[in-house]
Amino acid sequence: MKMTLRWYGSKFDTVTLQQIRQIPGVSGVITTLYDMPAGELWPEDRIKSIKAEVEASGLKIEGIESVNIHDAIKIGNDKRDKYIDNYIKTLENLGKHGIDIVCYNFMPVFDWTRTDLAKVRPDGSTVLAYDQKKVDEIDPQTFFDQTNASSGGFAMPGWEPERLAHVKELFEAYKSVDEEKLFNNLVYFLKAIRPVCEKYGIKMAIHPDDPAWPVFGLPRIITGLEKIQRVMKAVDAPFNGLTFCAGSLGSNPKNDLPAIIRALPGRIHFAHVRNLHHFGPGVFEEAAHLSCDGSFDLYEMCKALYDINFKGPIRPDHGRMIWGEKAMPGYGLYDRALGASYIEGLWEAIEKSSRKN
Ligand code: DNO
Protein backbone atom coordinates (compact mmCIF):
# COMPACT_ATOMS: atom_id res chain seq x y z
CA MET A 1 0.00 0.00 0.00
CA LYS A 2 0.99 3.61 -0.39
CA MET A 3 0.25 5.92 2.51
CA THR A 4 -1.25 9.23 1.39
CA LEU A 5 -3.06 12.24 2.74
CA ARG A 6 -5.93 14.11 1.12
CA TRP A 7 -4.90 17.62 0.11
CA TYR A 8 -7.32 20.22 -1.28
CA GLY A 9 -4.73 22.44 -2.99
CA SER A 10 -2.72 25.38 -1.67
CA LYS A 11 -5.56 27.87 -2.19
CA PHE A 12 -8.05 25.97 -0.02
CA ASP A 13 -6.21 23.71 2.41
CA THR A 14 -4.87 24.82 5.78
CA VAL A 15 -2.38 21.96 5.59
CA THR A 16 0.71 22.45 3.43
CA LEU A 17 2.55 19.99 1.24
CA GLN A 18 5.66 20.56 3.37
CA GLN A 19 3.75 19.48 6.47
CA ILE A 20 2.42 16.42 4.70
CA ARG A 21 5.89 15.46 3.57
CA GLN A 22 7.08 15.46 7.17
CA ILE A 23 4.58 12.78 8.22
CA PRO A 24 6.65 9.60 8.30
CA GLY A 25 5.80 7.14 5.55
CA VAL A 26 3.50 9.43 3.59
CA SER A 27 4.66 9.41 -0.01
CA GLY A 28 1.85 11.08 -1.83
CA VAL A 29 -1.35 13.08 -1.83
CA ILE A 30 -4.83 12.55 -3.07
CA THR A 31 -5.94 15.83 -4.48
CA THR A 32 -8.43 17.59 -6.74
CA LEU A 33 -9.09 20.86 -8.50
CA TYR A 34 -11.39 21.94 -5.71
CA ASP A 35 -12.80 24.99 -7.49
CA MET A 36 -13.83 23.06 -10.59
CA PRO A 37 -17.64 22.77 -10.73
CA ALA A 38 -19.05 19.29 -11.35
CA GLY A 39 -19.38 18.66 -15.06
CA GLU A 40 -16.66 21.01 -16.27
CA LEU A 41 -13.75 19.90 -18.34
CA TRP A 42 -10.48 20.01 -16.40
CA PRO A 43 -7.94 21.97 -18.43
CA GLU A 44 -4.66 20.23 -19.06
CA ASP A 45 -2.58 23.19 -17.88
CA ARG A 46 -4.26 23.13 -14.44
CA ILE A 47 -3.48 19.43 -14.12
CA LYS A 48 0.10 20.02 -15.17
CA SER A 49 0.59 22.81 -12.69
CA ILE A 50 -0.86 21.00 -9.65
CA LYS A 51 1.25 17.98 -10.54
CA ALA A 52 4.39 20.12 -10.76
CA GLU A 53 3.56 21.79 -7.44
CA VAL A 54 3.09 18.45 -5.65
CA GLU A 55 6.23 16.97 -7.17
CA ALA A 56 8.31 20.03 -6.27
CA SER A 57 7.51 19.28 -2.63
CA GLY A 58 8.86 15.74 -2.94
CA LEU A 59 5.44 14.08 -3.03
CA LYS A 60 3.43 12.41 -5.77
CA ILE A 61 -0.20 12.66 -6.83
CA GLU A 62 -1.47 9.15 -6.11
CA GLY A 63 -5.03 9.83 -7.15
CA ILE A 64 -7.83 12.33 -7.57
CA GLU A 65 -10.67 12.68 -5.07
CA SER A 66 -12.91 13.59 -6.70
CA VAL A 67 -13.79 14.29 -10.28
CA ASN A 68 -17.41 14.99 -9.40
CA ILE A 69 -20.26 13.75 -11.55
CA HIS A 70 -22.81 16.25 -12.80
CA ASP A 71 -26.36 15.58 -11.61
CA ALA A 72 -27.52 15.37 -15.26
CA ILE A 73 -25.58 12.10 -15.50
CA LYS A 74 -27.10 10.73 -12.30
CA ILE A 75 -30.59 11.83 -13.32
CA GLY A 76 -30.02 10.58 -16.87
CA ASN A 77 -31.55 13.59 -18.62
CA ASP A 78 -30.88 14.89 -22.14
CA LYS A 79 -27.77 16.80 -21.05
CA ARG A 80 -25.95 13.75 -19.75
CA ASP A 81 -24.03 12.95 -22.93
CA LYS A 82 -22.54 16.43 -23.02
CA TYR A 83 -21.32 16.05 -19.42
CA ILE A 84 -20.07 12.52 -20.02
CA ASP A 85 -18.10 13.88 -22.93
CA ASN A 86 -16.48 16.46 -20.64
CA TYR A 87 -15.74 13.71 -18.13
CA ILE A 88 -14.04 11.60 -20.80
CA LYS A 89 -11.88 14.56 -21.85
CA THR A 90 -10.97 15.23 -18.21
CA LEU A 91 -9.94 11.59 -17.80
CA GLU A 92 -7.89 11.88 -20.95
CA ASN A 93 -6.10 14.95 -19.58
CA LEU A 94 -5.42 13.17 -16.29
CA GLY A 95 -4.29 10.00 -18.04
CA LYS A 96 -1.84 11.91 -20.24
CA HIS A 97 -0.15 13.09 -17.06
CA GLY A 98 0.04 9.66 -15.49
CA ILE A 99 -2.75 10.17 -12.96
CA ASP A 100 -4.49 6.83 -12.83
CA ILE A 101 -6.84 6.64 -9.86
CA VAL A 102 -10.06 8.62 -9.84
CA CYS A 103 -12.46 8.57 -6.91
CA TYR A 104 -16.04 9.72 -7.50
CA ASN A 105 -19.44 9.21 -5.98
CA PHE A 106 -22.93 8.68 -7.36
CA MET A 107 -24.91 10.23 -4.51
CA PRO A 108 -27.82 12.41 -5.63
CA VAL A 109 -27.67 16.13 -4.70
CA PHE A 110 -25.45 15.88 -1.64
CA ASP A 111 -22.15 14.26 -0.93
CA TRP A 112 -21.64 12.90 2.61
CA THR A 113 -24.08 14.03 5.27
CA ARG A 114 -23.29 14.81 8.91
CA THR A 115 -25.54 16.56 11.41
CA ASP A 116 -22.73 18.02 13.52
CA LEU A 117 -19.39 19.20 12.22
CA ALA A 118 -17.85 19.90 15.63
CA LYS A 119 -19.30 17.70 18.37
CA VAL A 120 -17.29 18.22 21.54
CA ARG A 121 -15.91 15.06 23.15
CA PRO A 122 -15.06 14.74 26.85
CA ASP A 123 -11.36 15.37 26.12
CA GLY A 124 -12.17 18.69 24.42
CA SER A 125 -11.49 17.46 20.88
CA THR A 126 -14.24 17.91 18.31
CA VAL A 127 -15.51 15.42 15.77
CA LEU A 128 -18.04 15.10 12.99
CA ALA A 129 -21.17 13.27 14.08
CA TYR A 130 -24.46 11.97 12.72
CA ASP A 131 -27.85 11.58 14.32
CA GLN A 132 -30.65 10.21 12.15
CA LYS A 133 -33.25 11.84 14.43
CA LYS A 134 -32.04 15.28 13.37
CA VAL A 135 -32.27 14.33 9.71
CA ASP A 136 -35.78 12.91 10.19
CA GLU A 137 -36.93 16.18 11.72
CA ILE A 138 -36.27 17.93 8.43
CA ASP A 139 -38.79 17.89 5.65
CA PRO A 140 -36.79 19.23 2.71
CA GLN A 141 -39.92 20.73 1.14
CA THR A 142 -40.84 22.79 4.21
CA PHE A 143 -37.22 23.67 4.59
CA PHE A 144 -36.99 25.07 1.07
CA ASP A 145 -40.23 26.98 1.39
CA GLN A 146 -38.98 28.90 4.39
CA THR A 147 -37.60 32.22 3.32
CA ASN A 148 -34.88 32.43 5.92
CA ALA A 149 -33.52 28.96 5.24
CA SER A 150 -33.59 27.82 8.81
CA SER A 151 -35.11 24.72 10.26
CA GLY A 152 -35.26 25.04 13.99
CA GLY A 153 -31.83 26.61 13.86
CA PHE A 154 -30.44 23.63 12.05
CA ALA A 155 -29.12 23.57 8.49
CA MET A 156 -27.18 20.88 6.70
CA PRO A 157 -23.77 21.62 5.24
CA GLY A 158 -24.46 22.37 1.56
CA TRP A 159 -27.85 23.93 2.32
CA GLU A 160 -26.54 27.47 2.46
CA PRO A 161 -29.09 30.02 1.22
CA GLU A 162 -27.16 30.69 -1.99
CA ARG A 163 -27.33 27.01 -2.98
CA LEU A 164 -30.89 26.49 -1.90
CA ALA A 165 -32.77 27.40 -5.09
CA HIS A 166 -30.57 25.03 -7.01
CA VAL A 167 -31.02 22.26 -4.46
CA LYS A 168 -34.79 22.62 -4.64
CA GLU A 169 -34.73 22.16 -8.42
CA LEU A 170 -32.58 19.09 -7.99
CA PHE A 171 -35.01 17.52 -5.55
CA GLU A 172 -37.73 18.01 -8.18
CA ALA A 173 -35.58 16.46 -10.90
CA TYR A 174 -34.81 13.41 -8.74
CA LYS A 175 -38.50 12.68 -8.18
CA SER A 176 -38.48 10.43 -11.24
CA VAL A 177 -35.25 8.66 -10.28
CA ASP A 178 -35.53 5.54 -8.18
CA GLU A 179 -32.72 3.17 -7.22
CA GLU A 180 -33.07 1.14 -10.39
CA LYS A 181 -32.88 4.17 -12.62
CA LEU A 182 -29.90 5.54 -10.72
CA PHE A 183 -28.16 2.18 -11.06
CA ASN A 184 -28.82 2.10 -14.81
CA ASN A 185 -27.51 5.64 -15.16
CA LEU A 186 -24.32 4.61 -13.37
CA VAL A 187 -23.89 1.65 -15.70
CA TYR A 188 -24.46 3.90 -18.74
CA PHE A 189 -21.78 6.27 -17.45
CA LEU A 190 -19.29 3.46 -16.74
CA LYS A 191 -19.76 1.93 -20.18
CA ALA A 192 -19.18 5.29 -21.81
CA ILE A 193 -15.94 6.02 -19.95
CA ARG A 194 -14.55 2.48 -20.20
CA PRO A 195 -12.53 3.03 -23.43
CA VAL A 196 -10.69 6.10 -22.12
CA CYS A 197 -10.00 4.40 -18.79
CA GLU A 198 -8.62 1.33 -20.50
CA LYS A 199 -6.52 3.42 -22.90
CA TYR A 200 -4.76 5.24 -20.03
CA GLY A 201 -4.94 2.54 -17.36
CA ILE A 202 -7.20 4.69 -15.19
CA LYS A 203 -8.89 2.95 -12.28
CA MET A 204 -12.25 4.38 -11.32
CA ALA A 205 -13.01 4.02 -7.61
CA ILE A 206 -16.62 4.68 -6.68
CA HIS A 207 -17.08 6.05 -3.18
CA PRO A 208 -19.83 4.48 -1.05
CA ASP A 209 -22.85 6.49 -0.02
CA ASP A 210 -22.49 8.19 3.32
CA PRO A 211 -24.44 7.38 5.41
CA ALA A 212 -25.09 4.01 3.79
CA TRP A 213 -28.86 4.38 3.42
CA PRO A 214 -31.23 6.76 1.62
CA VAL A 215 -31.57 10.20 3.17
CA PHE A 216 -34.23 12.85 2.45
CA GLY A 217 -36.05 10.38 0.21
CA LEU A 218 -33.20 10.39 -2.33
CA PRO A 219 -32.12 7.01 -3.71
CA ARG A 220 -28.72 5.55 -2.77
CA ILE A 221 -27.11 2.56 -4.39
CA ILE A 222 -23.58 2.03 -2.99
CA THR A 223 -24.52 0.99 0.50
CA GLY A 224 -23.29 -2.57 1.05
CA LEU A 225 -21.56 -5.57 -0.47
CA GLU A 226 -24.42 -6.92 -2.58
CA LYS A 227 -25.05 -3.60 -4.22
CA ILE A 228 -21.37 -2.98 -4.80
CA GLN A 229 -21.01 -6.40 -6.39
CA ARG A 230 -23.95 -5.68 -8.65
CA VAL A 231 -22.14 -2.61 -10.00
CA MET A 232 -18.87 -4.54 -10.35
CA LYS A 233 -20.62 -7.27 -12.34
CA ALA A 234 -22.63 -4.89 -14.51
CA VAL A 235 -19.40 -3.55 -15.99
CA ASP A 236 -17.09 -6.41 -15.19
CA ALA A 237 -13.66 -4.97 -15.87
CA PRO A 238 -10.81 -4.04 -13.53
CA PHE A 239 -11.08 -0.30 -14.28
CA ASN A 240 -14.46 -0.35 -12.53
CA GLY A 241 -13.61 -0.50 -8.84
CA LEU A 242 -14.35 0.77 -5.37
CA THR A 243 -13.00 3.26 -2.87
CA PHE A 244 -13.25 1.16 0.26
CA CYS A 245 -14.39 3.79 2.76
CA ALA A 246 -14.61 2.43 6.30
CA GLY A 247 -16.50 5.41 7.66
CA SER A 248 -19.18 5.35 4.94
CA LEU A 249 -19.82 1.62 4.73
CA GLY A 250 -19.33 1.30 8.47
CA SER A 251 -22.10 3.84 9.16
CA ASN A 252 -24.32 0.77 8.90
CA PRO A 253 -23.09 -1.67 11.58
CA LYS A 254 -24.54 -4.54 9.55
CA ASN A 255 -21.79 -4.05 6.98
CA ASP A 256 -18.94 -6.43 7.87
CA LEU A 257 -15.98 -4.33 6.75
CA PRO A 258 -13.21 -6.98 6.56
CA ALA A 259 -15.65 -9.31 4.76
CA ILE A 260 -16.44 -6.61 2.19
CA ILE A 261 -12.73 -6.15 1.54
CA ARG A 262 -12.11 -9.88 1.19
CA ALA A 263 -15.02 -10.21 -1.25
CA LEU A 264 -13.56 -7.66 -3.67
CA PRO A 265 -9.99 -8.63 -4.54
CA GLY A 266 -8.64 -6.66 -7.47
CA ARG A 267 -11.56 -4.25 -7.37
CA ILE A 268 -10.57 -2.03 -4.44
CA HIS A 269 -8.42 0.72 -5.91
CA PHE A 270 -8.25 3.14 -2.99
CA ALA A 271 -8.93 2.88 0.74
CA HIS A 272 -10.13 5.33 3.39
CA VAL A 273 -9.20 3.67 6.65
CA ARG A 274 -10.68 4.98 9.87
CA ASN A 275 -12.97 4.38 12.82
CA LEU A 276 -16.45 5.39 13.96
CA HIS A 277 -18.01 5.13 17.38
CA HIS A 278 -21.59 3.85 17.24
CA PHE A 279 -24.00 4.84 20.01
CA GLY A 280 -27.11 3.15 18.61
CA PRO A 281 -28.93 2.76 15.29
CA GLY A 282 -28.24 5.80 13.13
CA VAL A 283 -26.22 7.61 15.78
CA PHE A 284 -22.44 7.75 15.53
CA GLU A 285 -19.43 10.00 15.79
CA GLU A 286 -16.10 9.92 14.03
CA ALA A 287 -13.67 8.54 16.60
CA ALA A 288 -9.88 8.64 16.50
CA HIS A 289 -8.41 6.00 14.20
CA LEU A 290 -7.40 3.55 16.96
CA SER A 291 -9.49 0.41 17.45
CA CYS A 292 -9.76 1.18 21.17
CA ASP A 293 -11.48 4.52 20.51
CA GLY A 294 -14.31 3.30 18.27
CA SER A 295 -16.44 0.40 17.10
CA PHE A 296 -14.21 -1.03 14.34
CA ASP A 297 -11.25 -3.38 14.48
CA LEU A 298 -8.62 -1.53 12.47
CA TYR A 299 -6.23 -4.49 12.67
CA GLU A 300 -8.77 -6.76 10.95
CA MET A 301 -9.47 -4.10 8.35
CA CYS A 302 -5.77 -3.67 7.49
CA LYS A 303 -5.20 -7.42 7.62
CA ALA A 304 -7.98 -7.94 5.06
CA LEU A 305 -6.44 -5.31 2.77
CA TYR A 306 -3.05 -6.94 3.17
CA ASP A 307 -4.46 -10.39 2.46
CA ILE A 308 -6.09 -9.31 -0.80
CA ASN A 309 -2.69 -7.94 -1.80
CA PHE A 310 -3.88 -4.35 -1.84
CA LYS A 311 -1.20 -2.16 -3.40
CA GLY A 312 -3.09 1.08 -3.90
CA PRO A 313 -3.24 4.29 -1.90
CA ILE A 314 -4.62 4.31 1.63
CA ARG A 315 -5.47 7.51 3.38
CA PRO A 316 -6.40 8.15 6.96
CA ASP A 317 -9.82 9.71 6.91
CA HIS A 318 -11.58 12.44 8.85
CA GLY A 319 -9.58 13.30 11.92
CA ARG A 320 -10.68 14.88 15.16
CA MET A 321 -9.84 18.53 15.65
CA ILE A 322 -7.17 18.52 18.37
CA TRP A 323 -4.47 20.72 19.87
CA GLY A 324 -6.32 23.90 18.93
CA GLU A 325 -6.07 23.33 15.20
CA LYS A 326 -8.45 25.18 12.88
CA ALA A 327 -9.04 23.44 9.59
CA MET A 328 -11.74 22.13 7.26
CA PRO A 329 -13.95 19.79 9.31
CA GLY A 330 -12.29 16.37 9.33
CA TYR A 331 -9.25 17.53 7.40
CA GLY A 332 -6.77 18.93 9.87
CA LEU A 333 -3.15 17.85 10.02
CA TYR A 334 -2.61 16.50 13.51
CA ASP A 335 -5.16 13.75 13.94
CA ARG A 336 -4.79 12.53 10.38
CA ALA A 337 -1.02 12.33 10.88
CA LEU A 338 -1.62 10.24 14.01
CA GLY A 339 -3.98 8.07 11.98
CA ALA A 340 -1.42 7.58 9.20
CA SER A 341 1.27 6.52 11.68
CA TYR A 342 -1.10 4.14 13.42
CA ILE A 343 -2.12 2.46 10.15
CA GLU A 344 1.53 2.22 9.14
CA GLY A 345 2.33 0.55 12.45
CA LEU A 346 -0.44 -1.99 11.96
CA TRP A 347 0.72 -2.62 8.41
CA GLU A 348 4.35 -3.20 9.43
CA ALA A 349 3.28 -5.68 12.09
CA ILE A 350 0.96 -7.53 9.70
CA GLU A 351 3.61 -7.66 7.00
CA LYS A 352 6.32 -8.98 9.32
CA SER A 353 4.16 -11.56 11.03
CA SER A 354 2.80 -12.78 7.67
CA ARG A 355 6.34 -13.26 6.36
CA LYS A 356 7.21 -15.43 9.34
CA ASN A 357 4.16 -17.69 8.94
C1 DNO B 1 -15.77 13.07 2.78
C2 DNO B 1 -15.33 12.30 1.63
C3 DNO B 1 -16.29 12.41 0.48
C4 DNO B 1 -15.67 11.82 -0.76
C5 DNO B 1 -16.57 11.85 -1.97
C6 DNO B 1 -15.95 11.10 -3.11
O1 DNO B 1 -14.96 13.57 3.51
O2 DNO B 1 -15.05 10.99 1.93
O3 DNO B 1 -16.59 13.75 0.25
O4 DNO B 1 -14.52 12.53 -1.08
O5 DNO B 1 -17.81 11.30 -1.70
O6 DNO B 1 -16.51 11.52 -4.31
Side-chain angles (χ1 to χ4, degrees), residues 12 32-47 66-68 90:
F12 302 101
T32 187
L33 297 180
Y34 195 50
D35 53 349
M36 202 54 81
E40 256 174 57
L41 166 56
W42 288 22
E44 208 182 328
D45 58 334
R46 297 263 335 254
I47 295 169
S66 319
V67 180
N68 283 317
T90 296

XYZ file of all heavy atoms in Angstrom, residues 12 32-47 66-68 90:
172
model
N -6.915 26.305 -0.891
C -8.048 25.967 -0.016
C -7.656 25.260 1.279
O -8.379 25.317 2.262
C -9.034 25.060 -0.775
C -9.543 25.682 -2.035
C -9.017 25.325 -3.267
C -10.534 26.661 -1.983
C -9.464 25.924 -4.434
C -10.995 27.265 -3.150
C -10.450 26.895 -4.384
N -7.365 17.265 -5.780
C -8.427 17.587 -6.738
C -8.244 19.031 -7.192
O -7.430 19.752 -6.609
C -9.814 17.398 -6.082
O -10.836 17.562 -7.073
C -10.065 18.402 -4.956
N -8.990 19.431 -8.203
C -9.086 20.861 -8.503
C -10.388 21.292 -7.827
O -11.481 21.123 -8.379
C -9.116 21.095 -10.018
C -7.842 20.660 -10.782
C -7.988 20.952 -12.273
C -6.594 21.344 -10.242
N -10.233 21.760 -6.604
C -11.389 21.943 -5.713
C -12.391 22.975 -6.228
O -13.569 22.924 -5.907
C -10.861 22.341 -4.327
C -11.871 22.213 -3.216
C -12.609 21.045 -3.048
C -12.080 23.269 -2.329
C -13.530 20.937 -2.025
C -12.997 23.162 -1.300
C -13.723 21.996 -1.156
O -14.638 21.886 -0.152
N -11.896 23.925 -7.018
C -12.797 24.988 -7.486
C -13.482 24.626 -8.807
O -14.199 25.440 -9.378
C -12.015 26.298 -7.654
C -10.784 26.125 -8.536
O -10.435 24.959 -8.844
O -10.178 27.127 -8.928
N -13.258 23.426 -9.289
C -13.831 23.056 -10.587
C -15.258 22.540 -10.393
O -15.465 21.515 -9.741
C -12.932 21.944 -11.156
C -13.000 21.785 -12.639
S -12.688 23.259 -13.570
C -10.944 23.275 -13.550
N -16.264 23.247 -10.933
C -17.638 22.766 -10.730
C -17.855 21.400 -11.384
O -17.236 21.097 -12.407
C -18.501 23.834 -11.433
C -17.604 24.993 -11.683
C -16.191 24.469 -11.734
N -18.737 20.611 -10.780
C -19.050 19.290 -11.347
C -19.471 19.464 -12.794
O -20.251 20.366 -13.113
C -20.181 18.644 -10.553
N -18.946 18.630 -13.653
C -19.377 18.659 -15.056
C -18.426 19.403 -15.963
O -18.445 19.237 -17.178
N -17.558 20.246 -15.397
C -16.661 21.006 -16.275
C -15.418 20.221 -16.651
O -14.927 19.408 -15.876
C -16.283 22.324 -15.618
C -17.067 23.426 -16.290
C -16.914 24.753 -15.653
O -15.759 25.222 -15.538
O -17.951 25.328 -15.269
N -14.945 20.564 -17.832
C -13.751 19.898 -18.339
C -12.516 20.444 -17.634
O -12.324 21.661 -17.567
C -13.707 20.168 -19.851
C -12.455 19.911 -20.661
C -11.989 18.479 -20.516
C -12.766 20.192 -22.128
N -11.698 19.559 -17.096
C -10.480 20.007 -16.398
C -9.382 20.336 -17.414
O -8.906 19.441 -18.119
C -9.959 18.919 -15.464
C -10.774 18.678 -14.238
C -12.088 18.993 -14.042
C -10.325 18.064 -13.021
N -12.484 18.606 -12.782
C -11.416 18.030 -12.139
C -9.120 17.515 -12.601
C -11.329 17.489 -10.858
C -9.033 16.972 -11.325
C -10.122 16.968 -10.465
N -8.965 21.608 -17.446
C -7.941 21.970 -18.433
C -6.604 21.302 -18.134
O -6.206 21.173 -16.978
C -7.816 23.496 -18.279
C -8.902 23.926 -17.362
C -9.381 22.734 -16.612
N -5.925 20.943 -19.208
C -4.656 20.234 -19.057
C -3.624 21.067 -18.304
O -2.846 20.537 -17.503
C -4.142 19.861 -20.444
C -3.300 18.625 -20.406
C -2.738 18.247 -21.763
O -3.410 18.500 -22.797
O -1.631 17.681 -21.772
N -3.623 22.391 -18.541
C -2.577 23.194 -17.875
C -2.773 23.244 -16.356
O -1.812 23.292 -15.597
C -2.492 24.609 -18.476
C -3.808 25.356 -18.393
O -4.866 24.690 -18.346
O -3.793 26.600 -18.359
N -4.039 23.168 -15.899
C -4.263 23.133 -14.439
C -3.761 21.813 -13.850
O -3.220 21.753 -12.754
C -5.760 23.298 -14.120
C -6.374 24.614 -14.529
C -6.473 25.665 -13.436
N -6.515 25.263 -12.055
C -7.588 25.287 -11.263
N -8.748 25.687 -11.750
N -7.517 24.947 -9.992
N -3.939 20.751 -14.597
C -3.485 19.432 -14.122
C -1.953 19.426 -14.060
O -1.356 19.004 -13.070
C -4.010 18.312 -15.050
C -5.537 18.253 -14.962
C -3.392 16.955 -14.700
C -6.220 17.383 -16.001
N -12.181 14.379 -5.725
C -12.909 13.588 -6.700
C -12.940 14.332 -8.034
O -12.755 15.546 -8.047
C -14.369 13.445 -6.264
O -14.501 13.216 -4.880
N -13.253 13.592 -9.115
C -13.795 14.289 -10.282
C -15.301 14.076 -10.126
O -15.807 12.957 -10.303
C -13.285 13.698 -11.616
C -13.899 14.495 -12.770
C -11.763 13.720 -11.700
N -15.983 15.135 -9.725
C -17.414 14.990 -9.402
C -18.273 14.805 -10.637
O -17.979 15.325 -11.708
C -17.882 16.199 -8.595
C -17.417 16.105 -7.158
O -17.480 15.031 -6.552
N -16.908 17.203 -6.606
N -11.714 15.019 -19.469
C -10.973 15.232 -18.212
C -10.122 14.004 -17.905
O -8.940 14.123 -17.555
C -11.963 15.512 -17.055
O -12.649 16.733 -17.331
C -11.249 15.623 -15.720
